[in-house]
């Protein structure tokens, strides 16, 4: 029987035929695809004709269809709907893929041809986009170790392979800890919880096969429980399990993996001539240097910590009123912050949540995209990898632009967090291809599914990434969509969050699940008035994580990652009642791969731009100003990585931003 991963897909919009693909297809398909791609690379490297942009760079840009199909499907299901077979395959595939791609970078004949094109770049009649692709290709080979020789070359390949294994193990250990733990609740333990929290715990119990409601380590479940449960003992038990992920000892402990990963990254950077991994990593980002990153983070840390310290005093006083004389603890903060929000802003999450129906928030994200960019979304009935998934065709003026897939609900087979990926990226060469984009979230199931305010922001955030993919309009896949600097990639996603807070959007789409009535004006006013509430806490937990990430990669690798984490937090005066958003053993952004290593700061770097960019709309004709929307698409959303990000932002805004708009937006600006 023909392997469905190795043939042209005769499906609507060439979406993967998930109903015809089994786990048994992946291994043989990958082996064949790797051989096909290796042969393609050998043909480019062994070409005896003089090296040209066409026969080297564009040839490398020509995708191996089989390999792209296998990897796009496998990594989609491995992250969003894993099972023991897929986890085993991922452990098998990681070193195999690392070796394959390392061999390409280490191919001396291939690098010689890339360098030959690079050396004659000034005599070639290349477009601006082609010049960018050539520069990025050459730089990628050099940074990948192509110029290394002998023992250094061999060691680089060994490091890459080992890092791939470690990243997979880190991710799977974290998933295992999150999947295995649950806290069963008696009916009495539900007393005082809002209905939506009770519904989430019952749905979690059903998903786990428990006899009743449970708290799991799915973020959407545990954070709501910590926010609303009056049972301090249960909050403590749940929080400590959440904080212990990846650090429980035994086979799933991630601390040794983190330490080895940091040591290998430092060695990799040294082989390439860099002082540290942070210097190596940041060279290609907007920030450029560790010092620039630290300056930004500390500019935000100081006012954020001052706000958090002041808030801690208020929450401690509230705790005293409840007869608790001990210190304010991390499992107390969300509970008392919610009580304070209700008292000071008369805003109750339980009152708000019925207005944030998942389906209506999806509609809102689509409606904003239509007003801003003219996009239309039509539901598709196609086989997908899980019954929870939905798909839409995206068109503009009747022309097909993309396919968008949404996978919104938490389940034990899905890793935590939320993300966007392209199962197929936009490109025009060597042939025109439209993107297939997927958003994956972890919202609690319900009938209807109701979101927290943070959930709704996450939905808009990931859809901003999707727009970056769907509106891409470049020639080459390597610079398409979100293939940009790490500290620029979060700009479109964080910018799109702002449209959730536009009053006319909430008035139209925040409708009550039972009555269908629009959110009352007074509640809307409370929501927007409390938009920067508890921002000291949120900023401190994020910036602390970013500073620890930077410290890990800026100097010599730590032998004891937890000791180094503690030292960094002590040096900045981390409030005792707040923890890092991602402690080291669960810091998947940093340790599941190199993507955000030395780069977790990038959310903050991008937020400096997104606050300033939305201000551009407000200064013009408002949130839906057509000229600003066109400029956003022209200079940022459609351009991918075809130009330097600083150039792109300056083209959109006329200048680069300062930190002032960010501090104002977070309510941290000095009065």
């Amino acid at each position: 029987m023909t392997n469905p991963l190795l043939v042209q897909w005769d499906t609507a919009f060439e979406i993967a035929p998930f109903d015809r693909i089994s786990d048994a297809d992946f291994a043989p398909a990958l082996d064949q695809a790797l051989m096909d791609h290796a042969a393609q690379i050998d043909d480019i490297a062994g070409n005896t004709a003089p090296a040209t942009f066409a026969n080297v760079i564009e040839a490398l840009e020509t995708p191996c269809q089989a390999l792209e199909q296998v990897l796009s499907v496998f990594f989609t299901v491995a992250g969003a709907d894993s099972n023991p077979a897929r986890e085993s395959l991922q452990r098998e595939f990681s070193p195999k893929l690392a070796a394959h791609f390392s061999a390409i970078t280490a191919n001396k004949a291939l690098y010689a041809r890339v360098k030959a094109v690079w050396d004659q770049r000034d005599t070639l009649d290349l477009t601006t986009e082609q010049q960018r692709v050539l520069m990025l290709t050459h730089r990628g080979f050099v940074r990948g170790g192509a110029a290394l020789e002998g023992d250094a070359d061999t060691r680089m390949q060994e490091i890459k392979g080992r890092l791939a294994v470690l990243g997979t193990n880190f991710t799977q250990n974290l998933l295992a800890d999150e999947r295995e733990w649950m806290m069963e609740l008696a009916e009495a333990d539900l007393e005082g919880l809002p209905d939506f929290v009770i519904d989430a715990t019952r749905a979690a119990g059903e998903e786990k096969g428990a006899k009743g409601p449970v708290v799991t380590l799915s973020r959407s479940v545990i954070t709501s429980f910590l926010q609303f449960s009056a049972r301090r003992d249960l909050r403590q038990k749940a929080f400590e399990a959440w904080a212990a992920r990846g650090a429980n000892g035994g086979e799933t402990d991630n601390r040794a993996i983190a330490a080895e990963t940091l040591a290998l990254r430092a060695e990799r950077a040294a082989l390439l001539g860099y002082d540290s991994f942070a210097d190596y990593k940041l060279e290609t980002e907007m920030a450029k240097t560790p010092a620039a990153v630290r300056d930004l983070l500390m500019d935000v840390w100081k006012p954020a910590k001052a706000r958090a310290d002041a808030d801690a005093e208020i929450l401690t006083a509230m705790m005293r009123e409840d007869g608790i004389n001990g210190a304010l603890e991390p499992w107390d903060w969300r509970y008392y912050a919610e009580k304070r929000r209700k008292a000071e802003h008369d805003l109750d999450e339980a009152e708000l949540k019925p207005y944030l129906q998942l389906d209506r928030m999806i509609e809102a994200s689509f409606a904003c995209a239509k007003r801003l960019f003219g996009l239309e979304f039509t539901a598709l009935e196609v086989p997908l990898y899980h019954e929870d998934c939905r798909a839409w065709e995206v068109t503009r003026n009747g022309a097909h632009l993309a396919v968008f897939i949404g996978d919104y609900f938490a389940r034990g087979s899905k890793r935590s967090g939320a993300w966007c990926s392209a199962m197929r990226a936009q490109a025009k060469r060597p042939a025109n291809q439209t993107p297939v984009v997927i958003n994956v979230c972890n919202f609690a199931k319900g009938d209807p599914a109701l979101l927290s305010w943070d959930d709704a922001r996450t939905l808009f955030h990931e859809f901003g990434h999707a727009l970056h993919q769907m509106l891409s309009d470049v020639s080459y896949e390597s610079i398409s969509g979100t293939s940009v600097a790490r500290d620029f990639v979060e700009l479109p996603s964080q910018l799109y969050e702002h449209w959730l807070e536009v009053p006319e959007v909430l008035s139209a789409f925040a409708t009550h699940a039972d009555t269908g009535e629009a959110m009352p004006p007074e509640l809307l006013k409370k929501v927007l008035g409390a938009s920067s509430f508890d921002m000291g806490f949120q900023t401190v937990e994020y910036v602390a994580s970013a500073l620890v990430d930077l410290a890990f990669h800026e100097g010599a690798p730590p032998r004891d990652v937890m000791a180094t984490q503690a030292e960094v937090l002590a040096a900045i005066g981390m409030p005792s009642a707040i923890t890092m958003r991602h402690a080291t053993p669960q810091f998947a952004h940093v340790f599941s791969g190199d993507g955000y290593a030395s780069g977790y700061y990038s959310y903050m770097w991008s937020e400096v731009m997104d606050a300033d960019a939305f201000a551009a709309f407000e200064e013009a004709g408002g949130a839906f100003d057509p000229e600003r929307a066109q400029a956003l698409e022209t200079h940022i959303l459609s351009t991918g990585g075809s130009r330097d990000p600083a150039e792109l932002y300056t083209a959109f805004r006329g200048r680069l931003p300062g930190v002032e708009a960010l501090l104002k937006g977070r309510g941290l600006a000095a009065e």
Side-chain angles (χ1 to χ4, degrees):
M1 183 180 294
T2 303
N3 192 314
L5 290 163
L6 297 174
V7 298
Q8 183 81 28
W9 291 336
D10 58 347
T11 56
F13 310 110
E14 296 183 335
I15 299 173
F18 288 104
D19 56 336
R20 304 203 299 266
I21 298 170
S22 71
D23 288 346
D25 294 322
F26 287 119
L30 180 65
D31 287 342
Q32 182 61 54
L34 290 177
M35 286 192 291
D36 291 350
H37 192 225
Q40 181 179 332
I41 295 299
D42 287 344
D43 286 344
I44 300 169
N47 191 340
T48 57
T52 66
F53 185 85
N55 68 20
V56 179
I57 307 303
E58 286 191 328
L60 286 170
E61 287 285 332
T62 302
C64 174
Q65 181 180 344
L67 187 58
E68 290 209 339
Q69 290 185 171
V70 174
L71 297 185
S72 69
V73 174
F74 178 73
F75 283 113
T76 294
V77 299
D81 192 27
S82 192
N83 58 35
R86 291 168 187 172
E87 290 177 11
S88 176
L89 287 169
Q90 196 168 8
R91 290 190 294 271
E92 175 188 336
F93 289 177
S94 291
K96 190 177 292 189
L97 288 167
H100 174 77
F101 289 108
S102 290
I104 294 174
T105 335
N107 187 318
K108 303 306 180 186
L110 179 60
Y111 173 59
R113 290 183 66 77
V114 170
K115 188 174 185 301
V117 181
W118 173 249
D119 288 343
Q120 58 179 313
R121 62 191 179 279
D122 293 337
T123 66
L124 303 176
D125 185 21
L126 301 180
T127 66
T128 300
E129 187 176 328
Q130 288 173 329
Q131 292 172 21
R132 178 78 173 171
V133 170
L134 173 58
M135 184 278 289
L136 293 172
T137 303
H138 177 260
R139 188 176 74 180
F141 271 85
V142 173
R143 286 170 58 82
L148 296 177
E149 301 286 350
D151 292 344
D153 185 25
T154 301
R155 181 58 181 155
M156 178 63 78
Q157 309 319 312
E158 293 171 352
I159 289 172
K160 288 181 180 179
R162 181 60 179 161
L163 284 171
V165 172
L166 293 173
T168 297
N169 291 346
F170 189 98
T171 302
Q172 293 191 350
N173 289 346
L174 184 56
L175 177 61
D177 278 4
E178 291 174 346
R179 183 174 53 215
E180 295 305 317
W181 188 90
M182 66 178 179
M183 180 174 70
E184 296 186 3
L185 300 175
E187 290 299 315
D189 299 333
L190 303 176
E191 185 176 346
L193 294 177
D195 287 344
F196 73 85
V197 179
I198 295 174
D199 291 344
T201 61
R202 293 195 190 283
E206 290 178 11
E207 200 262 334
K208 291 291 188 183
K211 296 180 180 179
V214 302
V215 175
T216 68
L217 296 183
S218 169
R219 184 177 288 273
S220 61
V221 176
I222 193 168
T223 54
S224 293
F225 184 79
L226 292 171
Q227 192 174 358
F228 290 102
S229 175
R231 288 284 302 278
R232 193 178 190 226
D233 58 330
L234 296 182
R235 294 201 311 268
Q236 179 177 355
K237 182 179 179 181
F239 182 87
E240 288 178 343
W242 174 253
R245 292 169 300 146
N248 286 303
E251 294 182 355
T252 63
D253 197 295
N254 275 334
R255 288 170 289 190
I257 290 176
E260 185 181 355
T261 297
L262 294 172
L264 290 173
R265 286 176 180 163
E267 185 181 356
R268 177 182 177 185
L271 285 171
L272 294 170
Y274 294 89
D275 292 337
S276 71
F277 184 83
D279 288 297
Y280 161 76
K281 185 66 181 294
L282 295 171
E283 179 186 51
T284 61
E285 309 298 336
M286 289 185 73
K288 302 302 182 190
T289 67
V293 173
R294 186 174 300 282
D295 287 346
L296 168 68
L297 294 174
M298 293 309 297
D299 282 347
V300 178
W301 173 261
K302 294 168 186 174
K305 181 181 182 300
R307 175 63 57 81
D309 287 341
D311 289 344
E313 292 183 8
I314 296 171
L315 301 185
T316 300
M318 295 174 66
M319 201 168 68
R320 297 288 181 266
E321 293 175 1
D322 283 351
I324 301 172
N325 294 318
L328 181 72
E329 300 287 356
W331 48 87
D332 297 317
W333 192 293
R334 288 178 176 83
Y335 176 71
Y336 283 100
E338 176 60 28
K339 291 181 71 171
R340 180 187 176 194
R341 180 170 69 159
K342 187 173 182 180
E344 293 185 1
H345 295 275
D346 194 22
L347 181 61
D348 183 352
E349 178 99 359
E351 178 189 8
L352 172 63
K353 203 157 186 177
Y355 290 97
L356 300 177
Q357 300 176 68
L358 171 61
D359 286 349
R360 296 292 280 149
M361 290 299 100
I362 294 172
E363 290 179 40
S365 67
F366 289 175
C368 291
K370 180 178 181 180
R371 288 188 64 181
L372 289 165
F373 310 115
L375 304 185
E376 300 275 0
F377 298 82
T378 305
L380 291 173
E381 293 295 330
V382 293
L384 298 168
Y385 61 87
H386 194 278
E387 61 184 9
D388 288 343
C389 297
R390 295 181 250 179
W392 294 266
E393 181 190 7
V394 186
T395 59
R396 180 156 58 184
N397 299 325
H400 174 78
L401 277 187
V403 170
F404 175 65
I405 299 171
D407 178 4
Y408 296 106
F409 296 125
R411 51 181 175 266
S413 61
K414 183 188 289 187
R415 64 180 170 90
S416 61
W419 62 93
C420 173
S421 59
M423 296 192 68
R424 182 177 66 227
Q426 177 272 331
K428 298 176 184 176
R429 301 182 70 165
N432 191 60
Q433 64 183 35
T434 55
V436 177
V437 186
I438 181 167
N439 276 178
V440 183
C441 300
N442 269 284
F443 304 143
K445 257 189 176 179
D447 188 20
L450 303 178
L451 305 183
S452 67
W453 184 252
D454 189 55
D455 288 339
R457 284 179 55 188
T458 296
L459 186 146
F460 269 70
H461 177 102
E462 298 306 332
F463 193 70
H465 281 309
L467 288 172
H468 203 181
Q469 297 277 16
M470 294 188 289
L471 290 172
S472 179
D473 187 24
V474 299
S475 295
Y476 300 101
E477 187 173 323
S478 66
I479 55 169
S480 174
T482 57
S483 297
V484 299
R486 181 65 61 181
D487 50 11
F488 192 67
V489 75
E490 298 297 339
L491 168 60
S493 54
Q494 293 179 182
L495 176 59
Y496 205 66
E497 293 178 29
H498 289 273
W499 275 272
L500 174 62
E501 296 185 356
V502 174
E504 61 186 289
V505 174
L506 287 173
S507 297
F509 295 97
T511 56
H512 198 280
D514 296 327
T515 67
E517 295 179 358
M519 183 183 291
E522 59 272 18
L523 180 57
L524 176 59
K525 185 177 180 181
K526 294 176 192 175
V527 170
L528 298 179
S531 61
S532 62
F533 177 75
D534 209 26
M535 199 55 74
F537 169 87
Q538 294 179 40
T539 308
V540 161
E541 64 166 6
Y542 165 78
V543 175
S545 296
L547 285 167
V548 169
D549 167 42
L550 184 64
F552 276 158
H553 296 96
E554 196 173 5
R559 293 183 178 180
D560 185 334
V561 292
M562 302 311 293
T564 298
Q565 173 185 297
E567 290 167 6
V568 173
L569 298 181
I572 60 175
M574 183 73 171
S576 60
I578 305 179
T579 59
M580 293 167 61
R581 182 172 298 178
H582 304 289
T584 300
Q586 332 75 70
F587 212 161
H589 280 79
V590 170
F591 292 107
S592 65
D594 282 357
Y596 282 91
S598 286
Y600 193 63
Y601 77 92
S602 60
Y603 291 94
M604 188 67 71
W605 192 277
S606 293
E607 189 177 342
V608 170
M609 290 183 286
D610 84 61
D612 182 67
F614 193 71
F617 280 86
E618 295 176 320
E619 292 163 9
F624 293 99
D625 180 75
E627 290 186 6
R628 287 290 83 201
Q630 183 60 60
L632 180 64
E633 179 177 352
T634 298
H635 298 299
I636 294 176
L637 296 178
S638 69
T639 52
S642 61
R643 291 168 60 193
D644 181 88
E647 292 179 23
L648 295 176
Y649 190 84
T650 302
F652 165 72
R653 189 65 162 115
R655 55 167 173 75
L656 291 174
V659 74
E660 296 78 15
L662 177 148
L663 293 176
K664 181 181 178 182
R666 284 184 170 244
L668 300 175
E671 296 181 3

